[in-house]
Amino acid sequence: KVNVHSDRYYTTFSVKLPLNDTVYADSIKVKTVSVTDTQNSESPMRMYEGLPTNGTNPSDVPIVLLVEDNEDMRSYMSALLSNTYRVKETRNGNQALEVAVKEIPDIIITDLMMPEMNGEELLEQLRKDSKTQHIPVIMLTARTAKESKLSNLGKGADHYLTKPFDVEDLMIRIKSLLDQRKRIRDYHKSQFLTNPKAEDIVSSNDRFLQRIGHVVAKNFDDYSFTINEFATEMNMSRVQLYRKMKAIIGYSATDFIRQYRLKKASDYLKNKKGTVSEIAYEVGFNNLSYFTKCFKDVYGVTPSQYLKSDMTLKD
């Protein structure tokens, strides 16, 4: 039937199927998937929580930001992705940029042609902002021109898929980009753990690591230095700092400061720069028993044992 709504015409097709599956041959039976949208479709951002049930901590599940102005396509893709990832939806580049800066997703999948701010403009804004420039971006488009693909790849898109795309291809590309980010994160984390001096992170080639290294190097000896102060010096919110640090180095801000202080403590102990108590307070610990526990967790021995020995770093 044809319906009239304001100045628009649209056609509704009704298909009726028997509920009793005995009428179907085994070869054509399929598993059905139900997706429930619990939020208003006009909301600028929707989030599906169809998370894995394999015991994974929900906060560790990667966030995928989906940017698509076509509601049917957006809902379809959310249903595909929500069993593996936390999916956040937006309808255009303006909304996506706001969510990306606030939430720091692990990956962004965006349509190219959208109202208000298209995919190319969104990509340019993401790559300009230090908070979001590290986020992998997959561009989706109906365009087939080679020039369009090369242009977006040149502006910082990590992958480019032409609609209609193969679902398995999309899932493989998402996993590949997330695995790549994990390898980079693990590299930075291992470098920080194995470098002989805490200050070495300040000389990193990664500008974000340089910044957090400078901030912590300036404040590590102040036991009252808070995460809020850390975030303020980085010109970020607590959430932005947490998400960015976890993405880049694999540490939360709290863990990073603690590791930095312990590394400084190990340097001081090796160079016999004071007693255990003096060194603990000098590197920002105001509780000696807590310092001893943290130090042993990392180096396998107490600070006193470390001080008496000629040990090198355990890790």
Side-chain angles (χ1 to χ4, degrees):
K1 62 180 179 180
V2 177
N3 302 275
V4 179
H5 184 269
S6 183
D7 59 343
R8 295 177 295 170
Y9 290 83
Y10 60 93
T11 302
T12 300
F13 297 92
S14 298
V15 179
K16 296 182 179 180
L17 300 173
L19 290 176
N20 188 345
D21 64 3
T22 59
V23 302
Y24 301 107
D26 290 340
S27 60
I28 63 172
K29 291 179 182 178
V30 297
K31 180 180 179 181
T32 59
V33 178
S34 175
V35 179
T36 301
D37 178 11
T38 59
Q39 299 188 27
N40 190 309
S41 61
E42 294 304 313
S43 172
M45 186 269 285
R46 293 188 292 175
M47 181 172 177
Y48 286 88
E49 293 287 0
L51 303 180
T53 57
N54 59 359
T56 302
N57 187 332
S59 64
D60 293 333
V61 177
I63 296 176
V64 176
L65 175 58
L66 179 58
V67 194
E68 170 62 65
D69 62 320
N70 184 289
E71 185 173 351
D72 290 336
M73 174 62 76
R74 193 170 66 246
S75 296
Y76 168 70
M77 293 182 65
S78 289
L80 290 174
L81 297 169
S82 61
N83 285 330
T84 308
Y85 306 106
R86 287 183 286 167
V87 181
K88 297 191 176 186
E89 299 181 35
T90 56
R91 296 194 302 272
N92 58 57
N94 280 333
Q95 295 173 358
L97 186 61
E98 181 179 345
V99 173
V101 171
K102 181 180 179 181
E103 303 288 342
I104 317 293
D106 296 280
I107 192 166
I108 296 174
I109 303 173
T110 180
D111 191 20
L112 176 60
M113 303 303 295
M114 296 179 295
E116 298 186 36
M117 180 188 288
N118 63 34
E120 289 184 351
E121 295 167 332
L122 171 62
L123 184 61
E124 290 179 2
Q125 294 301 316
L126 291 170
R127 294 300 178 245
K128 286 179 182 178
D129 194 325
S130 62
K131 301 181 186 71
T132 58
Q133 60 189 194
H134 70 283
I135 303 173
V137 175
I138 298 177
M139 187 79 72
L140 305 177
T141 180
R143 291 183 181 178
T144 57
K146 181 178 180 181
E147 292 78 8
S148 177
K149 176 178 180 179
L150 293 177
S151 173
N152 285 292
L153 290 174
K155 292 176 181 177
D158 295 271
H159 283 304
Y160 187 100
L161 286 177
T162 303
K163 298 178 181 178
F165 56 86
D166 181 81
V167 172
E168 185 177 358
D169 187 14
L170 175 63
M171 299 300 284
I172 290 174
R173 289 173 188 249
I174 294 173
K175 185 177 185 304
S176 175
L177 287 172
L178 292 176
D179 287 346
Q180 183 182 65
R181 287 304 315 175
K182 184 179 184 301
R183 287 192 294 271
I184 295 173
R185 180 171 64 248
D186 290 346
Y187 170 77
H188 286 314
K189 190 172 184 178
S190 66
Q191 287 293 102
F192 177 61
L193 286 174
T194 57
N195 278 337
K197 294 183 179 180
E199 288 83 355
D200 286 350
I201 195 162
V202 179
S203 62
S204 166
N205 291 327
D206 188 289
R207 293 178 62 187
F208 178 75
L209 291 181
Q210 289 178 358
R211 289 178 61 201
I212 63 174
H214 279 295
V215 171
V216 176
K218 184 174 66 173
N219 297 284
F220 78 92
D221 57 346
D222 181 3
Y223 72 88
S224 65
F225 181 63
T226 66
I227 302 304
N228 284 334
E229 291 173 323
F230 192 0
T232 298
E233 291 209 32
M234 292 295 295
N235 194 29
M236 293 180 170
S237 69
R238 284 180 63 115
V239 172
Q240 290 170 334
L241 181 63
Y242 174 85
R243 294 283 303 163
K244 178 82 174 184
M245 290 191 66
K246 290 289 283 187
I248 296 296
I249 198 171
Y251 283 122
S252 68
T254 300
D255 291 339
F256 180 80
I257 294 173
R258 185 187 303 117
Q259 290 291 340
Y260 190 99
R261 285 170 169 165
L262 292 172
K263 187 177 285 289
K264 289 292 291 187
S266 72
D267 292 342
Y268 291 165
L269 288 168
K270 281 191 297 184
N271 290 290
K272 308 294 191 294
K273 288 190 174 181
T275 66
V276 171
S277 297
E278 291 169 342
I279 290 172
Y281 288 110
E282 191 169 348
V283 299
F285 284 89
N286 65 340
N287 185 306
L288 184 58
S289 61
Y290 180 63
F291 169 68
T292 300
K293 178 185 179 302
C294 291
F295 193 93
K296 187 173 181 179
D297 286 344
V298 173
Y299 297 107
V301 294
T302 66
S304 297
Q305 292 170 328
Y306 195 93
L307 182 62
K308 294 175 182 177
S309 68
D310 192 25
M311 295 175 59
T312 57
L313 289 177
K314 174 186 173 185
D315 294 314

